[in-house]
Amino acid sequence: SVTPLQMIDSMAAIANGGTLYRPHLVLRLGGTLRDEEEVIAPEEIGKLPLSPEHLQLVQEALREVAMNPRGTAYYTFKDSLFPVAGKTGTAEVPSGKPHAWFVGYAPADDPQIAVAVIVEHGGEGSVAAAPILRKVVEAYLLPNEEQES
């Protein structure tokens, strides 16, 4: 029982080497009366309880989910321009199809973005949620000209 925010916090910490940060929505404020930009610094709130060796194993396993032919999300990311690391999942519901989810980060070798996708009654995460994450990652990482082609 976790929330999407808890999952993305964990995924971001795995991606950055183990540091947990307090979630916040604003990166910077601009256009103030003084015409100065105010950068909102991230606040560290802890570390993952993993040794560097175990953290590396988790990072490698998450990359395998998306980039290895035996991974559950491989077919979504096999021709991706960026290596992705992530985890598929389903959340059972009392009636109807389960909720699909995928949480991940990219590029796997130089993380710049972490994303959680939940599709209510979407079925399997690799089919319903992973393709959405791919679109978000590509929209974030690709220059506008490449997205239009």
Side-chain angles (χ1 to χ4, degrees):
S1 296
V2 296
T3 68
L5 182 57
Q6 289 170 321
M7 288 302 300
I8 199 65
D9 281 346
S10 298
M11 191 61 61
I14 291 166
N16 75 30
T19 304
L20 289 160
Y21 292 97
R22 180 171 314 284
H24 63 280
L25 297 175
V26 177
L27 179 60
R28 68 178 67 93
L29 299 172
T32 64
L33 293 176
R34 295 182 308 262
D35 221 14
E36 296 175 14
E37 181 177 82
E38 180 183 352
V39 176
I40 310 301
E43 178 187 348
E44 184 177 325
I45 59 172
K47 298 279 187 187
L48 292 177
L50 295 172
S51 69
E53 296 81 17
H54 289 150
L55 182 60
Q56 183 179 359
L57 285 172
V58 172
Q59 290 169 335
E60 290 171 7
L62 291 171
R63 183 183 174 113
E64 295 289 302
V65 167
M67 306 315 296
N68 185 300
R70 293 180 293 161
T72 54
Y74 173 73
Y75 290 101
T76 297
F77 298 103
K78 67 181 178 179
D79 59 350
S80 174
L81 298 174
F82 307 100
V84 173
K87 177 70 178 93
T88 59
T90 56
E92 295 180 12
V93 294
S95 62
K97 290 170 63 173
H99 302 323
W101 61 271
F102 190 86
V103 60
Y105 59 89
D109 50 2
D110 182 24
Q112 297 177 33
I113 184 172
V115 179
V117 176
I118 308 294
V119 180
E120 291 185 357
H121 304 289
E124 296 191 18
S126 62
V127 175
I132 296 169
L133 183 133
R134 179 177 173 163
K135 289 180 180 182
V136 170
V137 164
E138 288 175 352
Y140 183 83
L141 295 174
L142 286 175
N144 287 336
E145 314 80 63
E146 290 184 45
Q147 290 180 38
E148 294 169 3
S149 56

